Amino acid sequence: MTNKGRSYYLIPYYLWIALFVIAPVLLILYYSLFDLDGHFTLGNYVNFFTPVYLKMTLTSFWYAFLITAFSLLVAYPAAYLLTRTKHKQLWLLLIILPTWINLLLKTYAFIGIFGTFGPVNNLFDVFGIGEQQILFTGFSFVFVSVYIFIPFMILPIFSALEELNLSLLDAARDLGASGWTTFRRVVFPLTISGVRSGCMAVFIPALSLFMITRLIAGNRVITLGTAIEQHFLVTQDWGMGSTVAVFLIAIMALFMMLTGGSRKGVQK
Amino acid sequence: MKPLVNAFLAIVVTALALMYLGAWMNSNEGYSGGNTLTIYNWGDYVDPELLEQFEAETGITVIYQTFDSNEAMLTKVQQGGTTFDVVIPSDYAIAKMREEKLLLPLDHSKLPNLAHLNPRFLNLSFDPGNQFSVPYFWGTVGIIYNPELTKGMDFSSWNSLWDSRLKNNIFLVDGAREVMGMALNSLNYSVNDQNEAHLQDALSKLNRLSPNVKAIVGDEIKMLLAGEEAAVGIVWSGDASEIMDENDKLDYIVPEEGSNIWFDNMVIPRTAANVEGAHRFIDFMLRPEVAAQNAEYVGYSTPNDGAMKLLPPEIAEDTRFYPPAEITDRLEVYDNLGKRMLAHYNELFLMFKMNKK
């Protein structure tokens, strides 16, 4: 096939990107330049740098960081064990299965599980810990988010671990490396690409979570996603909502550039 | 390549078959063109039996669609993608729709049952002379509480919510107007106050409420309060009656300083396709027997005097949901504050939400 023929096949792809990626981003940029009365203004951007929104940005970052960190902490060992099990496909299916269920349904289930009279508190009672407030705390927010995002962290790490050449581990042991050193110097650096894509798949959506902040955190955790939702649905201040979205997009782009950049460094 | 083509063909064939099946089912139920009436209402806000009765009486097929917020409804009506014949928005949304010329004036001569309505609920600020709207249900905003858990505390004042005994024990409904209005009322200001100093007072007062607030939630508030996750909640009277149906330990009160009184009215949008049918439906819903049956099913307060006479006394004489005129006189309807003020209310509400315990 000639080069020219091949480029025709790319047309649908370019169309898709133009219509569903570039056009929406441009529209958001455009809307962010108008105030409530439809007048051109940069006031929305000025407004973003007030304590309310800066604090919100920091909160969003902090929680997105916590969610990513805990997901990684659970997902890496899980993915590692997964590569060592017999019925890999079955276990993998069990991890993917919950992602087929609607996110809101899963979230609603946790309202019951974490409730004052829910099974978790009943268990606490059995052990004599007594009733705890779990629902509507930062903890429950992070826990439920980690639960929801964990398959997206496990899968890329799992495939990176699968590609790992096992003879490298034997070689490391032959050369006298301890288990920890082998992990630190051989396994982890070779699977870093999986960790990186897992972190991206979790961190970026975690930044803009909104329904879980109300259902599980009872609006005690306010993220940028909450603000966008409110501006579009309640105040109909599309300008300010778009401005928040522009900053989110900028932050995400920056994050991807930073993580993408270091990949090249490793490959050299 | 072959299996891929086969799979693709299978998908196309299935999609076409489903489309055909859908069209066939619609035409079987009489949904194709002509004699239909599309009603756009809040979820679970009408007795479905009444819709069937209306269909049997008039031969009009009713298509019933639902929304969950006035804002969502407004957006959909503005876009005009679907034609709705009867919509049931709340007071301030009606004012907004009137301003944006989205409504058709009602022909009162086609609505003889208007006579059954209590004049208290007619000719209100959001629609003088009921040119565009007819009341469907009304209610208040108040405090629902669990006397067992609050041990005899008195909730006849909004200020009782700030009592330190209620630490981490209050659910608020996730609405800027409701929560800001409650704080303004507690300071003896109006729920429609636009004075910046008063609004800032309300915000700092709300911030002091933070330790008592367990969560600020949406519709889940009904499930959470019925499940006794907290002792106190700020809710609409209709939600309160639903919660009390599920858990009869709870009680509802409208505090003395005043509160919001709201109305959900029936309107005909400008894009309506079946204006004649829409008038017939509105008049049908105003019939005393119909309004009474609907009020019993939905649990909200009916503005229909004729229906009140038909309701069982334990409902009609329940002053929690049918407060007498001397109380409703102290209650205020939410004015349409305009986009700018509404945005400001929401910003203050957001600041309150961000304020950590």
Side-chain angles (χ1 to χ4, degrees):
Chain A
M1 207 184 285
T2 60
N3 238 346
K4 210 175 174 190
R6 201 170 294 154
S7 61
Y8 285 123
Y9 287 113
L10 283 172
I11 290 177
Y13 170 74
Y14 284 133
L15 267 177
W16 183 273
I17 294 283
L19 276 174
F20 299 114
V21 179
I22 298 175
V25 170
L26 287 180
L27 264 180
I28 288 174
L29 258 176
Y30 175 78
Y31 273 116
S32 73
L33 295 174
F34 290 92
D35 68 2
L36 267 171
D37 307 315
H39 299 305
F40 180 84
T41 176
L42 287 174
N44 292 329
Y45 287 87
V46 178
N47 204 6
F48 189 84
F49 289 99
T50 51
V52 184
Y53 288 101
L54 289 180
K55 200 173 147 199
M56 214 184 299
T57 314
L58 283 181
T59 326
S60 303
F61 258 89
W62 173 239
Y63 278 103
F65 167 74
L66 282 181
I67 291 163
T68 317
F70 281 109
S71 299
L72 183 61
L73 219 61
V74 179
Y76 203 97
Y80 190 79
L81 288 177
L82 213 59
T83 55
R84 302 279 172 273
T85 50
K86 253 192 196 154
H87 307 286
K88 262 180 229 171
Q89 291 310 317
L90 175 74
W91 286 108
L92 212 56
L93 186 74
L94 286 180
I95 287 171
I96 297 171
L97 216 57
T99 62
W100 296 358
I101 298 167
N102 186 293
L103 185 138
L104 274 181
L105 276 180
K106 288 187 279 186
T107 313
Y108 261 95
F110 271 103
I111 298 183
I113 294 172
F114 280 161
T116 315
F117 306 102
V120 176
N121 264 320
N122 286 342
L123 201 70
F124 281 175
D125 263 352
V126 172
F127 289 113
I129 302 170
E131 215 169 79
Q132 301 286 323
Q133 189 193 339
I134 312 167
L135 210 55
F136 311 126
T137 58
F139 163 78
S140 61
F141 176 64
V142 173
F143 188 95
V144 174
S145 310
V146 167
Y147 162 77
I148 281 165
F149 283 127
I150 225 152
F152 305 105
M153 188 64 107
I154 290 184
L155 288 177
I157 297 177
F158 173 77
S159 31
L161 280 167
E162 277 281 279
E163 283 167 16
L164 191 68
N165 188 346
L166 289 179
S167 52
L168 287 174
L169 301 189
D170 295 333
R173 203 166 303 127
D174 286 348
L175 293 170
S178 66
W180 170 243
T181 313
T182 312
F183 173 76
R184 201 166 52 88
R185 302 288 294 271
V186 181
V187 179
F188 193 72
L190 282 172
T191 52
I192 193 84
S193 66
V195 171
R196 195 177 293 126
S197 29
C199 285
M200 268 209 229
V202 172
F203 186 80
I204 291 175
L207 258 185
S208 53
L209 277 176
F210 67 93
M211 271 319 275
I212 303 175
T213 56
R214 191 184 92 194
L215 290 170
I216 296 296
N219 274 318
R220 307 306 325 200
V221 174
I222 298 289
T223 60
L224 292 174
T226 328
I228 296 177
E229 186 212 10
Q230 184 183 294
H231 281 305
F232 274 89
L233 292 183
V234 184
T235 51
Q236 304 205 311
D237 186 355
W238 290 22
M240 195 58 219
S242 300
T243 308
V244 179
V246 166
F247 277 98
L248 254 183
I249 293 170
I251 291 165
M252 288 172 185
L254 202 72
F255 182 74
M256 285 174 87
M257 259 156 62
L258 286 178
T259 47
S262 59
R263 174 189 303 211
K264 278 177 204 148
V266 171
Q267 276 171 348
K268 269 176 206 165
Chain B
M1 202 62 185
K2 192 110 190 281
L4 205 66
V5 172
N6 282 346
F8 181 73
L9 278 177
I11 290 172
V12 170
V13 168
T14 321
L16 284 175
L18 283 175
M19 252 168 70
Y20 178 75
L21 191 72
W24 179 76
M25 273 164 65
N26 272 348
S27 65
N28 247 17
E29 286 172 38
Y31 282 177
S32 57
N35 215 9
T36 63
L37 187 76
T38 312
I39 296 164
Y40 198 31
N41 194 359
W42 300 82
D44 203 21
Y45 206 32
V46 71
D47 184 347
E49 268 177 40
L50 291 171
L51 295 181
E52 278 168 33
Q53 191 186 330
F54 177 75
E55 286 183 329
E57 265 180 38
T58 58
I60 296 175
T61 309
V62 171
I63 303 170
Y64 189 74
Q65 296 194 28
T66 61
F67 55 85
D68 57 10
S69 78
N70 279 306
E71 287 70 24
M73 177 277 305
L74 262 173
T75 316
K76 225 167 164 188
V77 172
Q78 277 164 347
Q79 283 167 351
T82 327
T83 50
F84 300 110
D85 298 306
V86 178
V87 184
I88 306 185
S90 311
D91 35 56
Y92 69 95
I94 293 170
K96 214 165 166 183
M97 291 171 96
R98 240 185 51 200
E99 235 170 64
E100 295 178 18
K101 309 227 180 307
L102 290 170
L103 300 178
L104 277 185
L106 299 175
D107 184 348
H108 286 208
S109 66
K110 286 182 185 157
L111 303 171
N113 286 327
L114 268 178
H116 298 294
L117 289 173
N118 187 324
R120 232 163 98 199
F121 306 119
L122 294 173
N123 196 14
L124 292 160
S125 63
F126 55 87
D127 184 19
N130 286 79
Q131 244 190 307
F132 297 98
S133 74
V134 171
Y136 182 66
F137 280 118
W138 65 281
T140 52
V141 172
I143 301 174
I144 186 166
Y145 62 100
N146 188 329
E148 253 173 52
L149 298 177
T150 54
K151 300 185 188 79
M153 278 181 68
D154 174 26
F155 289 100
S156 57
S157 161
W158 286 115
N159 286 303
S160 58
L161 296 176
W162 273 262
D163 192 311
S164 58
R165 280 176 290 175
L166 290 177
K167 190 162 168 45
N168 202 23
N169 224 346
I170 301 176
F171 282 129
L172 299 180
V173 67
D174 190 7
R177 289 303 298 267
E178 284 71 26
V179 175
M180 283 299 291
M182 176 274 288
L184 286 165
N185 273 149
S186 78
L187 294 161
N188 289 317
Y189 299 136
S190 152
V191 292
N192 296 312
D193 208 315
Q194 304 203 28
N195 179 320
E196 187 54 34
H198 293 175
L199 291 174
Q200 291 300 335
D201 280 358
L203 176 62
S204 59
K205 182 140 191 198
L206 275 181
N207 284 340
R208 271 179 276 133
L209 184 66
S210 280
N212 285 2
V213 177
K214 187 165 186 183
I216 303 165
V217 287
D219 261 343
E220 314 83 68
I221 200 166
K222 291 188 256 180
M223 170 177 89
L224 292 166
L225 282 165
E228 301 187 2
E229 290 275 347
V232 179
I234 294 184
V235 291
W236 292 289
S237 57
D239 283 356
S241 100
E242 271 180 54
I243 298 167
M244 285 154 65
D245 274 346
E246 267 182 54
N247 185 339
D248 53 18
K249 281 185 226 157
L250 295 165
D251 208 349
Y252 177 77
I253 188 169
V254 179
E256 278 163 3
E257 291 96 342
S259 179
N260 162 242
I261 182 169
W262 52 261
F263 298 88
D264 286 339
N265 284 22
M266 297 182 269
V267 301
I268 305 179
R270 216 162 45 98
T271 50
N274 191 350
V275 180
E276 182 60 36
H279 278 95
R280 285 179 80 175
F281 180 77
I282 292 175
D283 200 49
F284 173 80
M285 292 313 288
L286 292 176
R287 232 184 259 171
E289 314 81 66
V290 172
Q293 189 183 333
N294 204 22
E296 251 187 282
Y297 177 88
V298 178
Y300 281 57
S301 317
T302 178
N304 196 311
D305 266 354
M308 288 291 283
K309 291 191 194 100
L310 300 173
L311 279 173
E314 69 266 24
I315 295 182
E317 286 163 20
D318 190 337
T319 50
R320 294 173 302 187
F321 299 111
Y322 290 98
E326 59 266 28
I327 291 182
T328 51
D329 283 349
R330 268 188 282 129
L331 307 180
E332 293 169 287
V333 179
Y334 290 140
D335 291 342
N336 177 18
L337 297 176
K339 267 189 183 176
R340 216 156 254 290
M341 206 58 202
L342 185 66
H344 188 49
Y345 264 67
N346 272 283
E347 205 178 315
L348 295 172
F349 185 47
L350 197 60
M351 284 185 192
F352 160 59
K353 282 182 182 173
M354 307 251 315
N355 181 49
K356 287 281 140 46
K357 307 183 193 194

